[in-house]
Structures are given as C-alpha cells and as structure tokens.
Amino acid sequence: MGSVASPKRLGPVAAIMGNQQLKRVVVLFVINLAVLLLAFSPYLKTLFSSDSYAHIEEGNGLYYQGHLWLGRPVSYAIMAILYHLGVRVTSHQLLLKLILLVCSAAGAVIITLLFAKIKGNNDWKTLLLANMAVLLSFVNIFIQEFYYFPEAGPVFGFGLLFTALSVWFFFRRQNIIHLLLSLLFLVLSLGMYQVLVQLYICWGMCFWLMESKFTINKRVVLRFFQLAVVCIIASAITMAVLVLFQQIGIAFVSERNVSLSAVWGNLAILVLQVQGFLWGFKHFVAFNWVVPLVFLVLLALLVFVLARRKTKLVGWLMVLFTLAANYLSVFLLHAVTDSVWAVPRTLVGFFGLFTTVALILLFLQPPKGVRWCAAGAMAVFLVFSVIHIGGFGTAQRVNNAVDAQIAREVHEEVLRYEQKGGVRVEKMVVGQDASPVYTYPENIGYSYGDQNYRVWQNFWGAVAAYNLYTDSHMQVVTMSDEVYAEYFEGKNWDTFNAREQLVFVDDTLYMVAY
C-alpha cells in the first residue's frame, strides 16, 4: 500500500514549496538558463567594452566606488563585497556573466509562476507558453547590452531578480507585510540600476489587469493605488539618496540628472527620433521588420480574443490603459532628465510591453489556433533575437581584435623610438582628431550607443587597452596643448597613420586617433 511522502522525506525546500511546485521551478529554471546560455553564449568569452579596458588596472577598487558616484548604493555594496572576495571585473568576466544569467533565469521563473498563480492554472502547456512570453523581456537586443559590459553583470543580474521579487511579493499576498517586501525589493532594484523601474511598471500593470479580471471596482482601484505608491516611494527614496550623495560630494552631477525644465525638449526628441529607432530599428540590420511584425501579430490576436469574448467597454479601456502605462513607462526617466540618452540598456522596458501583450492574451484562455499563432510569433522573435545577439557578440570580438592590432602597431613604434633614442617611454595620452571615427568599418550595423565603439576614441580606456595588448605599463597623462597645436590641431585622418598620429617627446607618447 502506497503512502504519501512526509515533509521530512521531501526535504526542506520541497516541504515549503510542495513536490510538484519544486519540479516546476526546477524545470522552468533549467529551460530558461538553457535559452539564455544559447542566446548570450558569444558573450561568455573574455571580451572588453570600451569601459572594460579602463577597469583592468583597478587595484584601488575604483570600479565599485564608481557606483556611489552614480547614486547606486546597492550596486556599490554588492560590487564591493565581490571585490574584497578577490573578484575582479575584467579578469573574472565569466563569473560575473554567469551571475547575470542565473539571476535572469530565476527572475523569469518568478514572473512565470506568478502568472500561473493569478490565472489559477499550473498545467505544463500554460506554463511553457507563459514562460516563452516572459522570456521576451529577458532575451532581446536591448537587454543584450547588459552583457556587453561584463563589469556590470551582477548589477544588472541582481537588479532584474530584485525587480521580479518586488512584483512577486506585491501580488503573492494582499497584506501590509507583502507590500513592504515589494517596496524593499524595488528599492534594492533601483539602488542598483534606476532604469529597471520600467520592468516593474510593465510586469506590475500586467498582473494588476489580470487580478482585476478586466472589471473596475473599489478593490481594483485600491490595488492600482498601492502599486503606484510602491513605485513612487521607491523612486523617491532612490532620488533622495542620489541628491544626498551629490550634496555631500559622493555622487557627481551628470548631464542625465533630473530636470523638469528639459521636459518639452525631451518629449520632442522622444517622439520625433526615438520612436523611429524603436520601431524602425535603423541601427540594427536584418531585424527591422521582426519587431513591429511580432508586436502587431500579438496585438491582433489579443484584439481578436477580446472581441470573441464580447469584452465590455470597461475591459477594453483597462487593456488600453495597461498597455499605454507600460509603453509610457519606458520614456518616463528620459523625459525628466537633462538630456535624452536613449541607448538599449535604458529602454529595456520596451520589450516588457511584448511580454504584457502575450501574457494578457494567454490569460484570456484563447482557442488552440490562437495559442499556436502566438507561440509561433514569440518563437520567431526569440530566434531572431538570438541571431542578432550573436551578431553583436561577434562584432565585439572583431572590435577587440582591431583594438589589439592597433595597439601592437603603436608598440612597434614605441620600441623603435626607444632603441633609436635610448629613452624609455613611460607615459602616454590619446586624443582625437578633427573628425573622430567611433566605429570600425567591420562593425557597421552592430554599433550603437556605447556598443562596439573603438577604444581609441575613449581617453579613459585607450592607454589601459594598450597596456593590456602589449604587456606594458604606461602611465596616463594629459594632452599637451603645445604638442596638440603643433602636430594635431585641425588635422583629420581616416586610417591609422603611425608617423603622423604618434609624437614622442622625451618619455611621453602623444597619440591622436583617427
């Protein structure tokens, strides 16, 4: 005669979660980790962003201290702990990227299981389709930029995980304890990377709509108010910390600080320029048609199912309100800063909108044909994302190779000068010509924002890159006004020319990159 396993025989984790729930968690986590490994495998190699080079010689722990300068105390704490444990952001890249992968996989599991809880359906077909929808937020060419900066892997990874936990606790139970836990994890998330508020709003609004069952009443209004208050308080705490750090001199005032006076100009940029970038993807080859096509397919399926269910007007309005709130959240921070820096990592909530549409569709229990169409559209999106992420990763490897080649050519000139003059070159500075070229021709189509830019155009990382690739120990100095005026001012080059772009004065190399 069989017997039911006791909690002790199940083990402590299974006793808390239940054997079936634990199985779902493990299976979903393995699936997510496998997909993420496949998508971001090009980044598991040792690669350097233009910023990464600057952190190679971080004996004083400058990198983790930099998070305080940006008003990100949680990032500072985590990176400081890793630093004091002996982890270095450039020599231990694989570890930092694995932290990002594992946290992302766990975050996706949390959001998927929350969907299953609110829907009240844990069957595998529902879970796998919902998980595919959630992965749209974690496997795309915007979040790909998180992997481009290996030194920030734990920052982005724990930030994503804390955001998912914040949403989880908000909807897990409706009591003050869970509201406070939601607030705590959102504060932790924004204390790592402020932009992640976009995903909190996207996922939160999505589950708010599902929890409401597409109806409006006092309880639904109260839940929306609670969701908004958690977001507002967490954002206010984050801003207060930043302002405090600036006042006491820990954080610096950058060109991307809050400025209400710039709102109208920023809105014009967001409408006239950024929308074309998002939907036209002018800077991303071979991908420009997939994004709008997949979104239109998912949106059309959602409209079809809503109409088929004879949804009341209030239901339509709530769906429209949810999607509008999701989309506008992507631009909230950009609208109120001194300048619009619309690069992929600052727009990650954009693909949260895709997740929202897909999850709402699945929540409505669409017919089998609609589910297959949605699955097909999401699969196309994920496949093209993986392909294009691979393109960016390959471009970064090529970028590093050309950086290294130029470093070796410069080193040959250094050795020639030293042998000829009997002087050891110990100092170096890199400047720009009259019209700088920020990308190599090999990477056209895979360079945007901060991605895949030549290190020789970044004064903070160029000398470190030279030292890395030539096993040298040059000291960074400032450009001499006299040398620049005599040899470089007003001149422009389109290729590397050692004779014209390198000037030696005693023990110092002055270089201007084309």
Side-chain angles (χ1 to χ4, degrees):
M1 182 176 179
S3 61
V4 178
S6 67
K8 289 184 179 179
R9 293 169 65 181
L10 287 174
V13 177
I16 296 172
M17 301 179 61
N19 199 30
Q20 287 300 315
Q21 185 74 340
L22 178 59
K23 181 180 178 181
R24 294 186 186 99
V25 170
V26 172
V27 172
L28 289 175
F29 178 80
V30 170
I31 290 173
N32 291 342
L33 189 59
V35 172
L36 289 164
L37 283 169
L38 173 65
F40 298 104
S41 57
Y43 289 96
L44 297 182
K45 302 175 182 178
T46 299
L47 298 171
F48 298 94
S49 70
S50 54
D51 287 348
S52 301
Y53 289 116
H55 303 306
I56 293 172
E57 302 161 352
E58 78 251 340
N60 60 354
L62 182 62
Y63 175 69
Y64 76 79
Q65 294 174 20
H67 288 286
L68 275 186
W69 304 343
L70 297 171
R72 299 170 184 169
V74 185
S75 294
Y76 166 80
I78 289 180
M79 296 308 297
I81 290 171
L82 290 173
Y83 177 82
H84 290 293
L85 289 174
V87 177
R88 297 296 179 264
V89 295
T90 50
S91 54
H92 297 98
Q93 285 191 21
L94 180 59
L95 172 62
L96 302 185
K97 292 173 183 176
L98 287 176
I99 291 174
L100 174 53
L101 287 166
V102 169
C103 288
S104 297
V109 171
I110 290 169
I111 299 301
T112 300
L113 291 179
L114 183 56
F115 170 83
K117 175 190 176 297
I118 294 176
K119 182 174 171 56
N121 188 341
N122 278 328
D123 69 84
W124 280 108
K125 288 183 180 179
T126 299
L127 281 174
L128 293 176
L129 278 175
N131 192 65
M132 182 182 287
V134 172
L135 282 175
L136 302 182
S137 293
F138 290 88
V139 181
N140 56 69
I141 55 175
F142 282 5
I143 217 161
Q144 164 265 332
E145 196 173 41
F146 286 3
Y147 295 81
Y148 176 73
F149 298 98
E151 62 272 15
V155 172
F156 297 135
F158 283 111
L160 287 167
L161 180 59
F162 291 159
T163 305
L165 284 170
S166 175
V167 176
W168 167 268
F169 279 112
F170 185 91
F171 292 97
R172 186 73 179 87
R173 294 278 190 276
Q174 296 185 27
N175 56 45
I176 188 64
I177 298 299
H178 282 74
L179 284 177
L180 291 175
L181 286 171
S182 176
L183 175 62
L184 170 64
F185 278 104
L186 187 57
V187 169
L188 291 175
S189 171
L190 302 189
M192 301 201 73
Y193 196 54
Q194 296 91 332
V195 167
L196 292 172
V197 71
Q198 298 173 13
L199 289 175
Y200 171 84
I201 295 174
C202 284
W203 296 337
M205 287 297 296
C206 176
F207 291 125
W208 168 79
L209 177 66
M210 294 177 191
E211 193 181 67
S212 74
K213 300 296 191 293
F214 300 84
T215 60
I216 194 76
N217 53 46
K218 291 182 179 179
R219 175 182 163 278
V220 172
V221 173
L222 175 62
R223 290 293 282 165
F224 173 79
F225 177 76
Q226 291 172 339
L227 187 69
V229 166
V230 168
C231 183
I232 291 170
I233 293 177
S235 300
I237 291 173
T238 303
M239 283 303 306
V241 169
L242 177 59
V243 172
L244 174 63
F245 283 4
Q246 290 175 344
Q247 291 297 319
I248 63 180
I250 294 177
F252 61 83
V253 179
S254 73
E255 71 276 10
R256 293 193 288 275
N257 278 311
V258 172
S259 173
L260 297 180
S261 63
V263 169
W264 291 112
N266 290 346
L267 288 176
I269 295 173
L270 291 170
V271 172
L272 300 177
Q273 299 179 22
V274 176
Q275 299 308 308
F277 163 69
L278 289 173
W279 296 104
F281 281 84
K282 303 172 184 178
H283 300 278
F284 296 115
V285 297
F287 200 71
N288 58 325
W289 58 272
V290 174
V291 170
L293 177 62
V294 169
F295 182 77
L296 288 175
V297 168
L298 292 174
L299 188 62
L301 292 174
L302 176 59
V303 170
F304 170 76
V305 172
L306 286 170
R308 186 174 181 270
R309 290 169 56 92
K310 298 181 180 179
T311 304
K312 295 181 179 179
L313 177 61
V314 66
W316 285 96
L317 292 176
M318 291 181 72
V319 171
L320 181 61
F321 175 67
T322 298
L323 298 183
N326 282 16
Y327 194 63
L328 292 176
S329 72
V330 179
F331 313 107
L332 180 62
L333 292 178
H334 297 86
V336 296
T337 53
D338 287 332
S339 62
V340 176
W341 186 236
V343 294
R345 66 183 181 277
T346 69
L347 298 166
V348 291
F350 176 72
F351 290 110
L353 177 66
F354 288 57
T355 291
T356 296
V357 174
L359 287 181
I360 295 172
L361 174 62
L362 296 174
F363 181 81
L364 293 172
Q365 296 181 316
K368 184 177 180 180
V370 171
R371 289 201 304 271
W372 277 107
C373 288
M378 291 187 291
V380 167
F381 177 91
L382 291 173
V383 168
F384 272 82
S385 292
V386 170
I387 293 172
H388 216 63
I389 289 168
F392 269 97
T394 300
Q396 188 175 3
R397 187 168 66 252
V398 172
N399 212 66
N400 289 173
V402 181
D403 286 341
Q405 178 59 34
I406 292 178
R408 286 188 286 268
E409 292 180 20
V410 172
H411 189 56
E412 290 177 2
E413 296 299 320
V414 170
L415 294 176
R416 188 175 292 113
Y417 171 79
E418 289 179 338
Q419 292 172 358
K420 183 178 179 180
V423 178
R424 182 173 179 79
V425 180
E426 298 179 340
K427 302 172 186 177
M428 180 177 178
V429 60
V430 179
Q432 296 179 329
D433 65 9
S435 181
V437 177
Y438 291 94
T439 63
Y440 294 117
E442 295 88 342
N443 288 346
I444 296 299
Y446 290 100
S447 297
Y448 184 76
D450 296 312
Q451 293 190 71
N452 294 326
Y453 274 9
R454 302 168 54 230
V455 70
W456 302 106
Q457 293 297 348
N458 295 326
F459 65 88
W460 59 88
V463 177
Y466 173 86
N467 288 339
L468 170 69
Y469 293 123
T470 64
D471 194 25
S472 302
H473 303 280
M474 291 283 199
Q475 300 176 30
V476 182
V477 295
T478 56
M479 177 64 72
S480 163
D481 293 337
E482 293 78 11
V483 171
Y484 190 86
E486 182 176 353
Y487 296 99
F488 305 128
E489 190 170 13
K491 296 183 179 179
N492 182 53
W493 295 271
D494 295 322
T495 58
F496 179 62
N497 186 321
R499 292 186 177 181
E500 297 180 5
Q501 293 168 253
L502 303 179
V503 172
F504 294 93
V505 178
D506 298 327
D507 64 346
T508 303
L509 167 59
Y510 297 93
M511 174 180 175
V512 164
Y514 68 91

